[in-house]
Short mmCIF file of all heavy atoms in Angstrom, two decimals:
data_model
loop_
_atom_site.label_atom_id
_atom_site.label_comp_id
_atom_site.label_asym_id
_atom_site.label_seq_id
_atom_site.Cartn_x
_atom_site.Cartn_y
_atom_site.Cartn_z
N ALA A 429 -31.41 58.89 24.29
CA ALA A 429 -31.30 57.50 23.96
C ALA A 429 -30.41 56.76 25.05
O ALA A 429 -30.65 55.63 25.41
CB ALA A 429 -30.60 57.35 22.56
N LEU A 430 -29.36 57.43 25.50
CA LEU A 430 -28.47 56.87 26.49
C LEU A 430 -29.31 56.58 27.75
O LEU A 430 -29.18 55.49 28.34
CB LEU A 430 -27.37 57.79 26.84
CG LEU A 430 -26.36 57.37 27.88
CD1 LEU A 430 -25.69 56.01 27.52
CD2 LEU A 430 -25.24 58.45 28.13
N ASN A 431 -30.11 57.47 28.17
CA ASN A 431 -30.90 57.26 29.41
C ASN A 431 -31.94 56.13 29.19
O ASN A 431 -32.11 55.23 30.03
CB ASN A 431 -31.61 58.61 29.77
CG ASN A 431 -32.40 58.50 31.03
OD1 ASN A 431 -33.60 58.04 31.04
ND2 ASN A 431 -31.88 58.98 32.10
N TYR A 432 -32.63 56.17 28.11
CA TYR A 432 -33.75 55.24 27.83
C TYR A 432 -33.18 53.80 27.64
O TYR A 432 -33.66 52.85 28.39
CB TYR A 432 -34.46 55.60 26.55
CG TYR A 432 -35.65 54.74 26.23
CD1 TYR A 432 -36.94 55.05 26.71
CD2 TYR A 432 -35.49 53.56 25.47
CE1 TYR A 432 -38.02 54.18 26.45
CE2 TYR A 432 -36.61 52.76 25.19
CZ TYR A 432 -37.81 53.01 25.71
OH TYR A 432 -38.92 52.25 25.43
N TYR A 433 -32.22 53.67 26.84
CA TYR A 433 -31.67 52.27 26.61
C TYR A 433 -30.78 51.75 27.72
O TYR A 433 -30.68 50.51 27.84
CB TYR A 433 -30.99 52.24 25.29
CG TYR A 433 -31.87 52.22 24.12
CD1 TYR A 433 -32.20 53.40 23.43
CD2 TYR A 433 -32.56 51.11 23.74
CE1 TYR A 433 -33.11 53.39 22.32
CE2 TYR A 433 -33.45 51.04 22.64
CZ TYR A 433 -33.71 52.26 21.94
OH TYR A 433 -34.63 52.27 20.91
N THR A 434 -30.35 52.61 28.55
CA THR A 434 -29.58 52.14 29.81
C THR A 434 -30.63 51.35 30.69
O THR A 434 -30.38 50.22 31.11
CB THR A 434 -29.02 53.28 30.62
OG1 THR A 434 -27.93 53.86 29.79
CG2 THR A 434 -28.45 52.84 31.91
N ALA A 435 -31.78 51.95 30.88
CA ALA A 435 -32.85 51.28 31.63
C ALA A 435 -33.29 49.99 30.93
O ALA A 435 -33.45 48.99 31.63
CB ALA A 435 -34.11 52.22 31.78
N MET A 436 -33.44 49.96 29.59
CA MET A 436 -33.79 48.84 28.87
C MET A 436 -32.81 47.66 28.98
O MET A 436 -33.08 46.49 29.32
CB MET A 436 -34.01 49.14 27.41
CG MET A 436 -34.45 47.97 26.57
SD MET A 436 -36.16 47.52 26.84
CE MET A 436 -37.02 48.85 25.94
N PHE A 437 -31.52 47.97 28.86
CA PHE A 437 -30.39 46.99 28.93
C PHE A 437 -30.30 46.51 30.43
O PHE A 437 -30.04 45.31 30.62
CB PHE A 437 -29.11 47.55 28.50
CG PHE A 437 -28.88 47.46 26.97
CD1 PHE A 437 -29.71 48.08 26.09
CD2 PHE A 437 -27.85 46.66 26.45
CE1 PHE A 437 -29.53 47.98 24.72
CE2 PHE A 437 -27.67 46.52 25.11
CZ PHE A 437 -28.51 47.21 24.25
N GLU A 438 -30.50 47.33 31.41
CA GLU A 438 -30.44 46.96 32.79
C GLU A 438 -31.57 45.88 33.10
O GLU A 438 -31.41 44.96 33.81
CB GLU A 438 -30.50 48.08 33.75
CG GLU A 438 -29.23 48.95 33.77
CD GLU A 438 -29.35 50.11 34.66
OE1 GLU A 438 -30.54 50.43 35.15
OE2 GLU A 438 -28.34 50.86 34.89
N SER A 439 -32.72 46.24 32.47
CA SER A 439 -33.89 45.27 32.78
C SER A 439 -33.63 43.91 32.13
O SER A 439 -34.05 42.93 32.69
CB SER A 439 -35.16 45.93 32.28
OG SER A 439 -35.22 46.01 30.81
N ILE A 440 -33.07 43.89 30.94
CA ILE A 440 -32.71 42.60 30.36
C ILE A 440 -31.78 41.87 31.19
O ILE A 440 -31.77 40.66 31.40
CB ILE A 440 -32.14 42.85 28.88
CG1 ILE A 440 -33.27 43.39 27.98
CG2 ILE A 440 -31.63 41.56 28.26
CD1 ILE A 440 -32.75 43.79 26.61
N ASP A 441 -30.73 42.63 31.76
CA ASP A 441 -29.70 41.97 32.56
C ASP A 441 -30.27 41.37 33.74
O ASP A 441 -29.74 40.40 34.31
CB ASP A 441 -28.73 43.11 33.01
CG ASP A 441 -27.23 42.53 33.21
OD1 ASP A 441 -26.79 41.86 32.39
OD2 ASP A 441 -26.83 42.72 34.32
N ALA A 442 -31.40 41.87 34.28
CA ALA A 442 -32.04 41.30 35.53
C ALA A 442 -32.69 39.99 35.31
O ALA A 442 -32.89 39.27 36.21
CB ALA A 442 -33.04 42.34 36.07
N THR A 443 -33.02 39.69 34.06
CA THR A 443 -33.74 38.43 33.72
C THR A 443 -32.89 37.42 33.00
O THR A 443 -32.98 36.19 33.28
CB THR A 443 -34.97 38.76 32.89
OG1 THR A 443 -35.72 39.83 33.55
CG2 THR A 443 -35.83 37.49 32.69
N LEU A 444 -32.09 37.94 32.08
CA LEU A 444 -31.27 37.00 31.16
C LEU A 444 -29.88 37.01 31.61
O LEU A 444 -29.19 38.07 31.53
CB LEU A 444 -31.45 37.40 29.72
CG LEU A 444 -31.20 36.36 28.65
CD1 LEU A 444 -32.13 35.16 28.84
CD2 LEU A 444 -31.40 36.97 27.30
N PRO A 445 -29.30 35.92 32.11
CA PRO A 445 -27.95 35.95 32.53
C PRO A 445 -26.97 36.42 31.59
O PRO A 445 -27.06 36.16 30.33
CB PRO A 445 -27.69 34.38 32.92
CG PRO A 445 -29.02 33.85 33.14
CD PRO A 445 -29.94 34.66 32.23
N ARG A 446 -25.95 37.09 32.05
CA ARG A 446 -24.98 37.82 31.17
C ARG A 446 -24.20 36.88 30.35
O ARG A 446 -23.79 37.15 29.24
CB ARG A 446 -24.09 38.68 32.07
CG ARG A 446 -23.34 39.72 31.31
CD ARG A 446 -22.68 40.69 32.27
NE ARG A 446 -23.59 41.39 33.11
CZ ARG A 446 -23.30 42.04 34.24
NH1 ARG A 446 -22.06 42.13 34.58
NH2 ARG A 446 -24.26 42.63 34.88
N GLU A 447 -23.96 35.68 30.83
CA GLU A 447 -23.14 34.73 30.06
C GLU A 447 -23.93 33.99 28.98
O GLU A 447 -23.30 33.24 28.17
CB GLU A 447 -22.44 33.66 30.99
CG GLU A 447 -23.51 32.75 31.74
CD GLU A 447 -24.10 33.34 33.00
OE1 GLU A 447 -23.74 34.57 33.21
OE2 GLU A 447 -24.75 32.70 33.74
N ARG A 448 -25.21 34.15 28.94
CA ARG A 448 -26.06 33.53 27.87
C ARG A 448 -25.82 34.12 26.51
O ARG A 448 -25.95 35.29 26.34
CB ARG A 448 -27.51 33.57 28.35
CG ARG A 448 -27.88 32.79 29.52
CD ARG A 448 -28.27 31.39 29.16
NE ARG A 448 -29.43 31.35 28.30
CZ ARG A 448 -30.71 31.34 28.80
NH1 ARG A 448 -30.94 31.49 30.06
NH2 ARG A 448 -31.69 31.27 27.89
N LYS A 449 -25.49 33.27 25.54
CA LYS A 449 -25.40 33.74 24.19
C LYS A 449 -26.62 34.42 23.71
O LYS A 449 -26.57 35.34 22.89
CB LYS A 449 -24.99 32.53 23.34
CG LYS A 449 -24.86 32.87 21.82
CD LYS A 449 -24.41 31.65 21.05
CE LYS A 449 -24.37 31.98 19.52
NZ LYS A 449 -25.61 32.25 18.98
N GLU A 450 -27.81 33.88 24.08
CA GLU A 450 -29.08 34.46 23.71
C GLU A 450 -29.19 35.93 23.99
O GLU A 450 -29.83 36.67 23.24
CB GLU A 450 -30.24 33.70 24.35
CG GLU A 450 -30.39 32.28 23.87
CD GLU A 450 -29.70 31.31 24.76
OE1 GLU A 450 -28.63 31.66 25.28
OE2 GLU A 450 -30.16 30.22 24.93
N ARG A 451 -28.66 36.35 25.16
CA ARG A 451 -28.70 37.74 25.54
C ARG A 451 -28.02 38.67 24.51
O ARG A 451 -28.54 39.70 24.06
CB ARG A 451 -28.09 38.01 26.88
CG ARG A 451 -28.35 39.41 27.38
CD ARG A 451 -27.43 39.71 28.57
NE ARG A 451 -26.04 39.27 28.23
CZ ARG A 451 -25.26 39.92 27.41
NH1 ARG A 451 -25.67 40.91 26.63
NH2 ARG A 451 -24.00 39.50 27.23
N ILE A 452 -26.79 38.27 24.11
CA ILE A 452 -26.11 39.04 23.03
C ILE A 452 -26.90 39.04 21.77
O ILE A 452 -27.10 40.16 21.15
CB ILE A 452 -24.72 38.45 22.84
CG1 ILE A 452 -23.83 38.59 24.05
CG2 ILE A 452 -24.06 39.18 21.61
CD1 ILE A 452 -22.39 38.11 23.89
N SER A 453 -27.46 37.94 21.39
CA SER A 453 -28.23 37.83 20.14
C SER A 453 -29.45 38.77 20.19
O SER A 453 -29.81 39.51 19.30
CB SER A 453 -28.60 36.46 19.86
OG SER A 453 -27.49 35.69 19.62
N VAL A 454 -30.16 38.74 21.36
CA VAL A 454 -31.32 39.56 21.50
C VAL A 454 -31.01 41.01 21.43
O VAL A 454 -31.72 41.75 20.69
CB VAL A 454 -32.02 39.18 22.90
CG1 VAL A 454 -33.03 40.27 23.28
CG2 VAL A 454 -32.70 37.86 22.83
N GLU A 455 -30.00 41.45 22.12
CA GLU A 455 -29.62 42.85 22.13
C GLU A 455 -29.15 43.30 20.74
O GLU A 455 -29.52 44.40 20.23
CB GLU A 455 -28.60 43.10 23.19
CG GLU A 455 -29.17 42.97 24.53
CD GLU A 455 -28.01 43.03 25.65
OE1 GLU A 455 -26.86 43.01 25.27
OE2 GLU A 455 -28.44 43.08 26.87
N GLN A 456 -28.41 42.47 20.04
CA GLN A 456 -27.87 42.81 18.72
C GLN A 456 -29.00 42.83 17.65
O GLN A 456 -29.15 43.78 16.95
CB GLN A 456 -26.84 41.88 18.31
CG GLN A 456 -25.49 42.11 19.04
CD GLN A 456 -24.38 41.12 18.55
OE1 GLN A 456 -24.72 40.08 17.97
NE2 GLN A 456 -23.13 41.55 18.71
#
Side-chain angles (χ1 to χ4, degrees):
L430 178 59
N431 183 280
Y432 184 90
Y433 285 98
T434 294
M436 182 73 75
F437 274 63
E438 287 178 352
S439 68
I440 294 174
D441 208 56
T443 308
L444 203 57
R446 196 170 299 166
E447 64 275 8
R448 290 273 296 276
K449 177 179 179 293
E450 293 94 327
R451 185 198 46 70
I452 293 179
S453 297
V454 164
E455 291 170 352
Q456 288 183 335

